[in-house]
Amino acid sequence: MLSFSVPLGKLVRTLSRLRGGGSAFPGLVVEKIDPRFMQRTLASLPHGVAVVSGTNGKTTTTKMVVELLESQGLKVFTNRSGSNFTRGVAASLLGEVDWRGRLDADVAILELDEAHAVHFVNKVPPRYSLLLNVLRDQLDRFGEIDKTARLLEHIASKTTDTVVLNREDPRVARIANIVNSLDAVHHPEVRYFGLDESLRSTFPNDDEMRTGSGPSPSGTSVAAASGEAVDLPDADVVLRRVGAQDADFEFDGKTVTTTMKLRGVYNIFNAAAALSLTRAVLGTGPIDTPKLVKALGDVAPAFGRGESLTVDGQPLELVLVKNPSGFRLGLKSFPAGGYATMIAINDNYADGRDMSWLWDVEFESLREGGVEVLTGVRAYDMALRLQYDDVPFGTVEPDITAALRTFIDGSRGKPKRIFCTYTSMLAIRRELAKITIVEVVS
């Protein structure tokens, strides 16, 4: 099998890229003809495999971890294409291995969709896992959030060395009980990343968001979910402060301040998660902390996650929104004042078919400036939702190409911002690539 599976897979990958095909298809082919391709290739890595999963923030957090580890001299393999299914990992491997199937890397940092991560870890038990959060997302795929929590629990149960958990999310925090139970197979070390008390109201967990309750004092969120009073555990990395262009992180008993290219409070919190996973992978070896902190400050947004492009000499920001928590934090992180705004909502499979979550988002912050253009398959659903929050809006055009043209022409001379679901973001980036410089995502 070794004699032809990799060359054949590489050939399929080349032909697929020439035809403009999907990035995951070559992975599907190699999975069929050589089912142990991933296991065999990744088993050779000195630092093993780390999986990043959760509802929000996987792509940006994975990007941060990669760049942090590279700052310490490690060679890192990752699924840069953004295809976070198992076959997407296989396809990314095909692009990096030599013709004999050998991978020149020290560690693999893989972003994985919650459901597909379960299949991956059954084949390739990760040495490390980072579990970010559990929020309502794509209800047609995952059902309610307790099912998503069980998926993350399975990832943790297969992890052999270290599990990094979000201390502030009760459904994630209590995964520690699963991996520490007497009948657990691996008993990995558990680390946490967390927030300063003053920042907790910015990041309500799913229960708090649905009930509309205020900020939780230390420990009460976890207590509410577990049914008993508990104190929050100590965190390996704590986000202490978020400024306009910088942030404070505490680890090893010291607080460091760094400027941040990333925008959005949720991205800054994910930076604490990335720091904790990076420290776990590096283990007890030497860490160049100044280089680590500088690398964190230099991380640019992943495509579509607060990405800023230039159109007609003005910035145009793309903000990915795919569930109520993400949209709420996006609106809070990117104030509307001074910006022309467009909202693009699709309901394709990758977005989730159930768009009822739009009714859990508060849009009052858009009232003063309004929304210039609404587009996407669910443009009229979005229009109805804005009407209920008394947010004025202009053009409603389901065709994204026409809507984007209207938006750019009608807001010349102003900075622009587009809130968009995943597939609408990809469509918008394809159109923008015709008029400005856009990072190519295969």
Side-chain angles (χ1 to χ4, degrees), residues 190-216:
V190 175
R191 295 189 182 198
Y192 299 90
F193 63 98
L195 292 168
D196 187 85
E197 183 84 34
S198 63
L199 295 173
R200 289 201 176 101
S201 62
T202 304
F203 296 91
N205 62 58
D206 195 85
D207 294 325
E208 292 165 342
M209 191 168 64
R210 294 181 73 177
T211 60
S213 61
S216 297

PDB file of all heavy atoms in Angstrom, residues 190-216:
ATOM      1  N   VAL A 190      -4.639  17.542  33.724  1.00  0.00           N
ATOM      2  CA  VAL A 190      -5.645  18.545  33.373  1.00  0.00           C
ATOM      3  C   VAL A 190      -5.095  19.934  33.677  1.00  0.00           C
ATOM      4  O   VAL A 190      -4.627  20.195  34.791  1.00  0.00           O
ATOM      5  CB  VAL A 190      -6.960  18.326  34.137  1.00  0.00           C
ATOM      6  CG1 VAL A 190      -7.950  19.458  33.836  1.00  0.00           C
ATOM      7  CG2 VAL A 190      -7.570  16.975  33.768  1.00  0.00           C
ATOM      8  N   ARG A 191      -5.134  20.813  32.681  1.00  0.00           N
ATOM      9  CA  ARG A 191      -4.778  22.219  32.852  1.00  0.00           C
ATOM     10  C   ARG A 191      -5.990  23.060  32.462  1.00  0.00           C
ATOM     11  O   ARG A 191      -6.843  22.619  31.694  1.00  0.00           O
ATOM     12  CB  ARG A 191      -3.600  22.605  31.974  1.00  0.00           C
ATOM     13  CG  ARG A 191      -2.293  21.915  32.297  1.00  0.00           C
ATOM     14  CD  ARG A 191      -1.157  22.545  31.510  1.00  0.00           C
ATOM     15  NE  ARG A 191       0.112  21.887  31.762  1.00  0.00           N
ATOM     16  CZ  ARG A 191       1.300  22.425  31.500  1.00  0.00           C
ATOM     17  NH1 ARG A 191       1.367  23.644  30.957  1.00  0.00           N
ATOM     18  NH2 ARG A 191       2.413  21.770  31.746  1.00  0.00           N
ATOM     19  N   TYR A 192      -6.007  24.288  32.985  1.00  0.00           N
ATOM     20  CA  TYR A 192      -7.106  25.188  32.667  1.00  0.00           C
ATOM     21  C   TYR A 192      -6.565  26.520  32.146  1.00  0.00           C
ATOM     22  O   TYR A 192      -5.461  26.944  32.503  1.00  0.00           O
ATOM     23  CB  TYR A 192      -7.955  25.485  33.909  1.00  0.00           C
ATOM     24  CG  TYR A 192      -8.608  24.279  34.530  1.00  0.00           C
ATOM     25  CD1 TYR A 192      -7.951  23.548  35.532  1.00  0.00           C
ATOM     26  CD2 TYR A 192      -9.872  23.864  34.133  1.00  0.00           C
ATOM     27  CE1 TYR A 192      -8.546  22.441  36.113  1.00  0.00           C
ATOM     28  CE2 TYR A 192     -10.478  22.754  34.711  1.00  0.00           C
ATOM     29  CZ  TYR A 192      -9.808  22.048  35.697  1.00  0.00           C
ATOM     30  OH  TYR A 192     -10.399  20.952  36.268  1.00  0.00           O
ATOM     31  N   PHE A 193      -7.359  27.169  31.311  1.00  0.00           N
ATOM     32  CA  PHE A 193      -7.154  28.588  31.028  1.00  0.00           C
ATOM     33  C   PHE A 193      -8.388  29.318  31.551  1.00  0.00           C
ATOM     34  O   PHE A 193      -9.484  28.740  31.604  1.00  0.00           O
ATOM     35  CB  PHE A 193      -6.924  28.855  29.540  1.00  0.00           C
ATOM     36  CG  PHE A 193      -8.083  28.506  28.636  1.00  0.00           C
ATOM     37  CD1 PHE A 193      -8.979  29.482  28.199  1.00  0.00           C
ATOM     38  CD2 PHE A 193      -8.283  27.200  28.203  1.00  0.00           C
ATOM     39  CE1 PHE A 193     -10.036  29.169  27.368  1.00  0.00           C
ATOM     40  CE2 PHE A 193      -9.344  26.867  27.372  1.00  0.00           C
ATOM     41  CZ  PHE A 193     -10.217  27.850  26.951  1.00  0.00           C
ATOM     42  N   GLY A 194      -8.221  30.562  31.963  1.00  0.00           N
ATOM     43  CA  GLY A 194      -9.333  31.235  32.622  1.00  0.00           C
ATOM     44  C   GLY A 194      -9.300  32.735  32.486  1.00  0.00           C
ATOM     45  O   GLY A 194      -8.414  33.323  31.851  1.00  0.00           O
ATOM     46  N   LEU A 195     -10.287  33.365  33.126  1.00  0.00           N
ATOM     47  CA  LEU A 195     -10.496  34.813  33.073  1.00  0.00           C
ATOM     48  C   LEU A 195     -10.344  35.431  34.449  1.00  0.00           C
ATOM     49  O   LEU A 195     -10.656  34.815  35.469  1.00  0.00           O
ATOM     50  CB  LEU A 195     -11.909  35.130  32.573  1.00  0.00           C
ATOM     51  CG  LEU A 195     -12.268  34.818  31.129  1.00  0.00           C
ATOM     52  CD1 LEU A 195     -13.763  34.929  30.936  1.00  0.00           C
ATOM     53  CD2 LEU A 195     -11.527  35.770  30.188  1.00  0.00           C
ATOM     54  N   ASP A 196      -9.919  36.679  34.453  1.00  0.00           N
ATOM     55  CA  ASP A 196     -10.003  37.489  35.653  1.00  0.00           C
ATOM     56  C   ASP A 196     -11.477  37.709  35.996  1.00  0.00           C
ATOM     57  O   ASP A 196     -12.337  37.763  35.102  1.00  0.00           O
ATOM     58  CB  ASP A 196      -9.310  38.834  35.416  1.00  0.00           C
ATOM     59  CG  ASP A 196      -9.203  39.668  36.667  1.00  0.00           C
ATOM     60  OD1 ASP A 196      -8.240  39.471  37.423  1.00  0.00           O
ATOM     61  OD2 ASP A 196     -10.104  40.511  36.895  1.00  0.00           O
ATOM     62  N   GLU A 197     -11.767  37.832  37.269  1.00  0.00           N
ATOM     63  CA  GLU A 197     -13.145  38.053  37.718  1.00  0.00           C
ATOM     64  C   GLU A 197     -13.816  39.208  36.976  1.00  0.00           C
ATOM     65  O   GLU A 197     -14.996  39.156  36.622  1.00  0.00           O
ATOM     66  CB  GLU A 197     -13.138  38.334  39.228  1.00  0.00           C
ATOM     67  CG  GLU A 197     -14.513  38.500  39.840  1.00  0.00           C
ATOM     68  CD  GLU A 197     -15.147  37.177  40.206  1.00  0.00           C
ATOM     69  OE1 GLU A 197     -14.431  36.249  40.599  1.00  0.00           O
ATOM     70  OE2 GLU A 197     -16.383  37.080  40.073  1.00  0.00           O
ATOM     71  N   SER A 198     -13.057  40.268  36.707  1.00  0.00           N
ATOM     72  CA  SER A 198     -13.619  41.471  36.085  1.00  0.00           C
ATOM     73  C   SER A 198     -14.062  41.252  34.649  1.00  0.00           C
ATOM     74  O   SER A 198     -14.811  42.066  34.095  1.00  0.00           O
ATOM     75  CB  SER A 198     -12.587  42.602  36.121  1.00  0.00           C
ATOM     76  OG  SER A 198     -11.440  42.257  35.347  1.00  0.00           O
ATOM     77  N   LEU A 199     -13.619  40.151  34.033  1.00  0.00           N
ATOM     78  CA  LEU A 199     -13.936  39.904  32.624  1.00  0.00           C
ATOM     79  C   LEU A 199     -15.043  38.880  32.420  1.00  0.00           C
ATOM     80  O   LEU A 199     -15.488  38.663  31.297  1.00  0.00           O
ATOM     81  CB  LEU A 199     -12.680  39.426  31.881  1.00  0.00           C
ATOM     82  CG  LEU A 199     -11.529  40.427  31.760  1.00  0.00           C
ATOM     83  CD1 LEU A 199     -10.310  39.764  31.157  1.00  0.00           C
ATOM     84  CD2 LEU A 199     -11.952  41.620  30.921  1.00  0.00           C
ATOM     85  N   ARG A 200     -15.505  38.240  33.491  1.00  0.00           N
ATOM     86  CA  ARG A 200     -16.446  37.133  33.318  1.00  0.00           C
ATOM     87  C   ARG A 200     -17.768  37.565  32.708  1.00  0.00           C
ATOM     88  O   ARG A 200     -18.404  36.797  31.985  1.00  0.00           O
ATOM     89  CB  ARG A 200     -16.677  36.423  34.658  1.00  0.00           C
ATOM     90  CG  ARG A 200     -15.464  35.635  35.099  1.00  0.00           C
ATOM     91  CD  ARG A 200     -15.783  34.554  36.090  1.00  0.00           C
ATOM     92  NE  ARG A 200     -14.561  33.808  36.364  1.00  0.00           N
ATOM     93  CZ  ARG A 200     -13.804  33.973  37.442  1.00  0.00           C
ATOM     94  NH1 ARG A 200     -14.165  34.833  38.369  1.00  0.00           N
ATOM     95  NH2 ARG A 200     -12.699  33.280  37.592  1.00  0.00           N
ATOM     96  N   SER A 201     -18.221  38.770  32.981  1.00  0.00           N
ATOM     97  CA  SER A 201     -19.503  39.209  32.425  1.00  0.00           C
ATOM     98  C   SER A 201     -19.452  39.338  30.911  1.00  0.00           C
ATOM     99  O   SER A 201     -20.488  39.332  30.242  1.00  0.00           O
ATOM    100  CB  SER A 201     -19.923  40.543  33.044  1.00  0.00           C
ATOM    101  OG  SER A 201     -18.972  41.551  32.745  1.00  0.00           O
ATOM    102  N   THR A 202     -18.236  39.453  30.353  1.00  0.00           N
ATOM    103  CA  THR A 202     -18.086  39.562  28.899  1.00  0.00           C
ATOM    104  C   THR A 202     -18.289  38.222  28.210  1.00  0.00           C
ATOM    105  O   THR A 202     -18.642  38.165  27.037  1.00  0.00           O
ATOM    106  CB  THR A 202     -16.677  40.104  28.561  1.00  0.00           C
ATOM    107  OG1 THR A 202     -16.482  41.340  29.242  1.00  0.00           O
ATOM    108  CG2 THR A 202     -16.509  40.335  27.065  1.00  0.00           C
ATOM    109  N   PHE A 203     -18.090  37.133  28.944  1.00  0.00           N
ATOM    110  CA  PHE A 203     -18.142  35.799  28.356  1.00  0.00           C
ATOM    111  C   PHE A 203     -19.178  34.944  29.076  1.00  0.00           C
ATOM    112  O   PHE A 203     -18.820  33.994  29.781  1.00  0.00           O
ATOM    113  CB  PHE A 203     -16.767  35.128  28.446  1.00  0.00           C
ATOM    114  CG  PHE A 203     -15.700  35.818  27.666  1.00  0.00           C
ATOM    115  CD1 PHE A 203     -14.924  36.796  28.244  1.00  0.00           C
ATOM    116  CD2 PHE A 203     -15.468  35.485  26.345  1.00  0.00           C
ATOM    117  CE1 PHE A 203     -13.927  37.439  27.531  1.00  0.00           C
ATOM    118  CE2 PHE A 203     -14.489  36.123  25.620  1.00  0.00           C
ATOM    119  CZ  PHE A 203     -13.710  37.102  26.208  1.00  0.00           C
ATOM    120  N   PRO A 204     -20.460  35.244  28.915  1.00  0.00           N
ATOM    121  CA  PRO A 204     -21.462  34.396  29.566  1.00  0.00           C
ATOM    122  C   PRO A 204     -21.440  32.996  28.965  1.00  0.00           C
ATOM    123  O   PRO A 204     -21.246  32.838  27.760  1.00  0.00           O
ATOM    124  CB  PRO A 204     -22.786  35.111  29.248  1.00  0.00           C
ATOM    125  CG  PRO A 204     -22.511  35.866  27.983  1.00  0.00           C
ATOM    126  CD  PRO A 204     -21.064  36.296  28.078  1.00  0.00           C
ATOM    127  N   ASN A 205     -21.615  31.989  29.829  1.00  0.00           N
ATOM    128  CA  ASN A 205     -21.748  30.650  29.278  1.00  0.00           C
ATOM    129  C   ASN A 205     -23.154  30.493  28.710  1.00  0.00           C
ATOM    130  O   ASN A 205     -23.989  31.390  28.818  1.00  0.00           O
ATOM    131  CB  ASN A 205     -21.422  29.581  30.328  1.00  0.00           C
ATOM    132  CG  ASN A 205     -22.365  29.613  31.515  1.00  0.00           C
ATOM    133  OD1 ASN A 205     -23.583  29.479  31.368  1.00  0.00           O
ATOM    134  ND2 ASN A 205     -21.815  29.807  32.712  1.00  0.00           N
ATOM    135  N   ASP A 206     -23.425  29.357  28.105  1.00  0.00           N
ATOM    136  CA  ASP A 206     -24.688  29.202  27.389  1.00  0.00           C
ATOM    137  C   ASP A 206     -25.899  29.328  28.315  1.00  0.00           C
ATOM    138  O   ASP A 206     -26.912  29.923  27.940  1.00  0.00           O
ATOM    139  CB  ASP A 206     -24.729  27.854  26.671  1.00  0.00           C
ATOM    140  CG  ASP A 206     -25.824  27.794  25.632  1.00  0.00           C
ATOM    141  OD1 ASP A 206     -25.587  28.244  24.504  1.00  0.00           O
ATOM    142  OD2 ASP A 206     -26.919  27.302  25.956  1.00  0.00           O
ATOM    143  N   ASP A 207     -25.809  28.797  29.522  1.00  0.00           N
ATOM    144  CA  ASP A 207     -26.930  28.885  30.456  1.00  0.00           C
ATOM    145  C   ASP A 207     -27.217  30.332  30.833  1.00  0.00           C
ATOM    146  O   ASP A 207     -28.369  30.768  30.870  1.00  0.00           O
ATOM    147  CB  ASP A 207     -26.641  28.067  31.718  1.00  0.00           C
ATOM    148  CG  ASP A 207     -26.557  26.577  31.418  1.00  0.00           C
ATOM    149  OD1 ASP A 207     -27.313  26.124  30.547  1.00  0.00           O
ATOM    150  OD2 ASP A 207     -25.741  25.895  32.045  1.00  0.00           O
ATOM    151  N   GLU A 208     -26.170  31.096  31.117  1.00  0.00           N
ATOM    152  CA  GLU A 208     -26.338  32.502  31.486  1.00  0.00           C
ATOM    153  C   GLU A 208     -26.907  33.310  30.327  1.00  0.00           C
ATOM    154  O   GLU A 208     -27.738  34.197  30.517  1.00  0.00           O
ATOM    155  CB  GLU A 208     -24.992  33.083  31.924  1.00  0.00           C
ATOM    156  CG  GLU A 208     -24.474  32.503  33.223  1.00  0.00           C
ATOM    157  CD  GLU A 208     -23.004  32.812  33.461  1.00  0.00           C
ATOM    158  OE1 GLU A 208     -22.298  33.168  32.488  1.00  0.00           O
ATOM    159  OE2 GLU A 208     -22.565  32.684  34.607  1.00  0.00           O
ATOM    160  N   MET A 209     -26.487  32.980  29.105  1.00  0.00           N
ATOM    161  CA  MET A 209     -26.953  33.724  27.946  1.00  0.00           C
ATOM    162  C   MET A 209     -28.438  33.481  27.698  1.00  0.00           C
ATOM    163  O   MET A 209     -29.185  34.384  27.349  1.00  0.00           O
ATOM    164  CB  MET A 209     -26.144  33.331  26.710  1.00  0.00           C
ATOM    165  CG  MET A 209     -26.380  34.227  25.508  1.00  0.00           C
ATOM    166  SD  MET A 209     -25.158  33.916  24.242  1.00  0.00           S
ATOM    167  CE  MET A 209     -25.539  32.227  23.826  1.00  0.00           C
ATOM    168  N   ARG A 210     -28.894  32.268  27.941  1.00  0.00           N
ATOM    169  CA  ARG A 210     -30.293  31.938  27.684  1.00  0.00           C
ATOM    170  C   ARG A 210     -31.212  32.490  28.771  1.00  0.00           C
ATOM    171  O   ARG A 210     -32.351  32.842  28.510  1.00  0.00           O
ATOM    172  CB  ARG A 210     -30.454  30.431  27.576  1.00  0.00           C
ATOM    173  CG  ARG A 210     -29.742  29.844  26.368  1.00  0.00           C
ATOM    174  CD  ARG A 210     -29.940  28.352  26.261  1.00  0.00           C
ATOM    175  NE  ARG A 210     -31.287  28.018  25.841  1.00  0.00           N
ATOM    176  CZ  ARG A 210     -31.701  26.776  25.624  1.00  0.00           C
ATOM    177  NH1 ARG A 210     -30.874  25.771  25.806  1.00  0.00           N
ATOM    178  NH2 ARG A 210     -32.934  26.528  25.246  1.00  0.00           N
ATOM    179  N   THR A 211     -30.706  32.564  29.999  1.00  0.00           N
ATOM    180  CA  THR A 211     -31.546  33.068  31.084  1.00  0.00           C
ATOM    181  C   THR A 211     -31.458  34.574  31.224  1.00  0.00           C
ATOM    182  O   THR A 211     -32.287  35.190  31.890  1.00  0.00           O
ATOM    183  CB  THR A 211     -31.139  32.428  32.425  1.00  0.00           C
ATOM    184  OG1 THR A 211     -29.768  32.758  32.713  1.00  0.00           O
ATOM    185  CG2 THR A 211     -31.298  30.918  32.373  1.00  0.00           C
ATOM    186  N   GLY A 212     -30.404  35.164  30.601  1.00  0.00           N
ATOM    187  CA  GLY A 212     -30.242  36.601  30.701  1.00  0.00           C
ATOM    188  C   GLY A 212     -29.714  37.043  32.044  1.00  0.00           C
ATOM    189  O   GLY A 212     -29.815  38.208  32.412  1.00  0.00           O
ATOM    190  N   SER A 213     -29.133  36.127  32.819  1.00  0.00           N
ATOM    191  CA  SER A 213     -28.596  36.488  34.124  1.00  0.00           C
ATOM    192  C   SER A 213     -27.329  37.301  33.964  1.00  0.00           C
ATOM    193  O   SER A 213     -26.686  37.298  32.922  1.00  0.00           O
ATOM    194  CB  SER A 213     -28.298  35.230  34.937  1.00  0.00           C
ATOM    195  OG  SER A 213     -27.331  34.434  34.284  1.00  0.00           O
ATOM    196  N   GLY A 214     -26.957  37.999  35.001  1.00  0.00           N
ATOM    197  CA  GLY A 214     -25.788  38.844  34.959  1.00  0.00           C
ATOM    198  C   GLY A 214     -24.519  38.043  35.156  1.00  0.00           C
ATOM    199  O   GLY A 214     -24.522  36.820  35.119  1.00  0.00           O
ATOM    200  N   PRO A 215     -23.397  38.753  35.367  1.00  0.00           N
ATOM    201  CA  PRO A 215     -22.119  38.058  35.536  1.00  0.00           C
ATOM    202  C   PRO A 215     -22.132  37.157  36.759  1.00  0.00           C
ATOM    203  O   PRO A 215     -22.732  37.467  37.780  1.00  0.00           O
ATOM    204  CB  PRO A 215     -21.115  39.215  35.711  1.00  0.00           C
ATOM    205  CG  PRO A 215     -21.939  40.381  36.157  1.00  0.00           C
ATOM    206  CD  PRO A 215     -23.268  40.209  35.500  1.00  0.00           C
ATOM    207  N   SER A 216     -21.470  36.020  36.618  1.00  0.00           N
ATOM    208  CA  SER A 216     -21.428  35.059  37.713  1.00  0.00           C
ATOM    209  C   SER A 216     -20.210  35.315  38.588  1.00  0.00           C
ATOM    210  O   SER A 216     -19.104  35.477  38.076  1.00  0.00           O
ATOM    211  CB  SER A 216     -21.338  33.636  37.166  1.00  0.00           C
ATOM    212  OG  SER A 216     -22.483  33.326  36.422  1.00  0.00           O
TER     213      SER A 216
END
